[in-house]
């Protein structure tokens, strides 16, 4: 059975070996604990790694005076460890350093096993902490770029949008369709995966708080919700009328121009003109025609909302240019 080794696994293996080797070469006691710290501090994003590392460093440093206070002040006894943790863990939670509970407990047990408090012991533990956390931070500086995967999601999503719009056109013109609708399910899945990846990409940039792709996929998500609402409206149309052919022509033009740029204002103007033409046409003569034209007007209204959502998005090219200017400063 084939399996894939991820970059995080590689970083963990290399970082753990490096931290243990450094601590061992420096002659530190409990040098293997440096490897444990490295394993715990390597996270999926840079920001998460930085937050986790700070929590663990703070907890480990606080664990040393706490150990001195309880062990020297009371006794080196297992019950004292429990009493100390009873006070120490709530302190870490209050300081929002709960990620450091496990690693600080290791430091506490090191001091307990040494059965004495000395500056040498403190410096030894501090060395283990700095090496373990420091190596993890250095290793985690490398994060592979997600831009290529995000572009792939963007292209797949746009292709699916085109197919959905084309199927709407087909139904409006012929009143028949053998479309299975798999693109709807695919779009929902693509959007969830793409947003998660885009958010993770934000977490991998320490000096950037937003991601152009995340905004893009949020915009497409809102548009997708409208497409889902439009489907039952279109399928409720049982009669072919002139207005339906006009809407079909509009949707066909729109389907050929699904891209990350922002040209929504052009199509909003076209919709406005088409709606004006509808108003100038003679009134429906039958109930069936009235219901068909009412559904078409609802469809036009939804597509106008679809385009307004896109018009609020600056466009991928504009975002890229702005990001380059910021990063160049």
């Amino acid at each position: 059975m084939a399996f894939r080794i991820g970059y995080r696994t590689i970083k963990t293996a290399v970082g753990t070996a490096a931290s243990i080797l450094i601590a061992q070469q420096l002659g530190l006691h409990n040098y293997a604990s440096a490897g444990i710290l490295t394993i715990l501090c390597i996270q999926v994003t840079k920001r998460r790694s930085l937050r986790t590392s700070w929590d663990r460093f703070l907890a480990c440093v606080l664990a040393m005076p706490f150990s001195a206070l309880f062990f020297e002040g009371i006794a080196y006894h297992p019950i004292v460890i429990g009493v100390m943790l009873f006070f120490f863990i709530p302190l870490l939670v209050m300081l929002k350093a709960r990620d450091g509970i496990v690693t600080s407990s290791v430091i506490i047990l090191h001091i307990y096993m040494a059965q004495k408090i000395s500056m040498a012991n403190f410096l030894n533990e501090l060395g283990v902490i700095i090496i373990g956390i420091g190596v993890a931070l250095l290793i985690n500086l490398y994060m592979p770029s997600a831009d290529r995967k995000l572009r792939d999601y963007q292209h797949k999503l746009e292709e699916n949008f085109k197919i959905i719009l084309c199927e709407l056109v087909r139904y409006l013109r012929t009143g028949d369709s053998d479309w299975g609708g798999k693109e709807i399910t695919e779009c929902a899945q693509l959007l969830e995966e793409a947003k998660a990846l885009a958010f993770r990409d934000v977490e991998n940039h320490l000096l950037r708080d937003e991601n152009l792709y995340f905004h893009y996929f949020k915009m497409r998500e809102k548009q997708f919700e409208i497409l889902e609402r439009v489907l039952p409206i279109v399928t409720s149309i049982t009669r072919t009328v002139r207005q339906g052919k006009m809407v079909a022509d509009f949707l066909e033009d729109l389907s050929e121009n699904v891209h990350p740029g922002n040209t929504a204002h052009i199509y909003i103007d076209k919709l406005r003109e088409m709606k004006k033409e509808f108003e100038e046409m003679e009134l429906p003569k039958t109930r069936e025609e009235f219901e068909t034209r009412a559904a078409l007007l609802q469809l036009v209204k939804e597509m106008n909302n679809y385009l307004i959502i896109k018009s609020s998005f600056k466009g991928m090219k504009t975002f890229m240019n702005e990001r380059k200017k910021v990063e160049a400063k």
Side-chain angles (χ1 to χ4, degrees), residues 14-246:
V14 172
T16 302
S19 58
I20 293 174
L21 180 63
I22 293 169
Q24 188 173 1
Q25 289 297 313
L26 290 175
L28 298 178
H29 298 294
N30 304 309
Y31 52 80
S33 295
I36 295 173
L37 279 169
T38 300
I39 292 171
L40 293 171
C41 290
I42 290 179
Q43 301 291 320
V44 293
T45 68
K46 289 180 183 178
R47 288 188 185 181
R48 194 177 300 176
S49 179
L50 192 61
R51 287 193 296 265
T52 300
S53 297
W54 168 249
D55 288 349
R56 297 188 194 287
F57 179 78
L58 177 64
C60 289
V61 170
L62 288 175
M64 291 189 283
F66 250 81
S67 298
L69 179 65
F70 278 82
F71 291 145
E72 292 293 326
I74 304 176
Y76 285 88
H77 194 279
I79 294 177
V80 176
I81 296 176
V83 173
M84 182 171 64
L85 291 177
F86 183 79
F87 292 98
F88 186 60
I89 292 175
L91 175 65
L92 294 182
V93 173
M94 185 181 70
L95 294 174
K96 298 180 180 179
R98 62 175 70 241
D99 284 339
I101 292 172
V102 174
T103 44
S104 59
S105 298
V106 173
I107 301 301
I108 290 169
L109 294 176
H110 285 174
I111 296 172
Y112 173 77
M113 288 186 292
Q115 294 287 304
K116 65 177 180 179
I117 298 294
S118 68
M119 183 58 67
N121 281 348
F122 279 179
L123 291 175
N124 181 86
E125 295 303 321
L126 188 60
V128 170
I129 294 165
I130 291 172
I131 291 169
I133 294 175
V135 169
L137 287 174
L138 287 174
I139 290 287
N140 238 32
L141 286 176
Y142 169 74
M143 287 290 179
S145 174
D147 282 0
R148 184 174 178 180
K149 286 184 178 180
L150 290 168
R151 282 196 298 271
D152 287 342
Y153 277 118
Q154 173 199 321
H155 294 150
K156 289 176 185 176
L157 199 60
E158 288 173 359
E159 283 302 314
N160 279 0
F161 269 47
K162 290 177 184 178
I163 292 171
I164 293 169
L165 289 170
C166 284
E167 290 298 331
L168 294 177
V169 171
R170 183 181 170 193
Y171 189 87
L172 286 171
R173 285 179 175 162
T174 65
D176 188 29
S177 176
D178 57 358
W179 179 47
K182 70 181 180 66
E183 285 77 15
I184 297 293
T185 306
E186 285 180 6
C187 277
Q189 184 177 349
L190 285 169
L191 282 165
E192 285 302 313
E193 293 175 2
K195 284 192 303 174
L197 181 59
F199 181 75
R200 196 167 72 192
D201 191 53
V202 173
E203 289 277 295
N204 277 327
H205 293 84
L206 301 178
L207 302 178
R208 198 167 77 215
D209 292 323
E210 59 180 24
N211 181 286
L212 64 102
Y213 283 105
F214 186 77
H215 289 291
Y216 172 80
F217 291 123
K218 285 293 289 182
M219 178 270 294
R220 288 299 188 196
E221 183 179 45
K222 292 176 183 177
Q223 287 189 314
F224 178 62
E225 290 172 0
I226 290 176
L227 289 179
E228 286 185 305
R229 291 202 301 268
V230 158
L231 285 171
I233 295 173
V234 173
T235 54
S236 71
I237 297 172
T238 57
R239 179 176 175 178
T240 302
V241 294
R242 183 184 169 193
Q243 292 85 349
K245 293 179 180 178
M246 292 170 65

Side-chain angles (χ1 to χ4, degrees), residues 274-290:
M274 186 168 61
K275 191 176 179 182
K276 190 181 295 183
E277 284 186 54
F278 286 179
E279 292 171 354
E280 294 171 355
M281 291 178 178
E282 61 181 40
L283 295 172
K285 293 183 174 60
T286 64
R287 179 184 178 84
E288 187 181 8
E289 184 183 355
F290 172 80

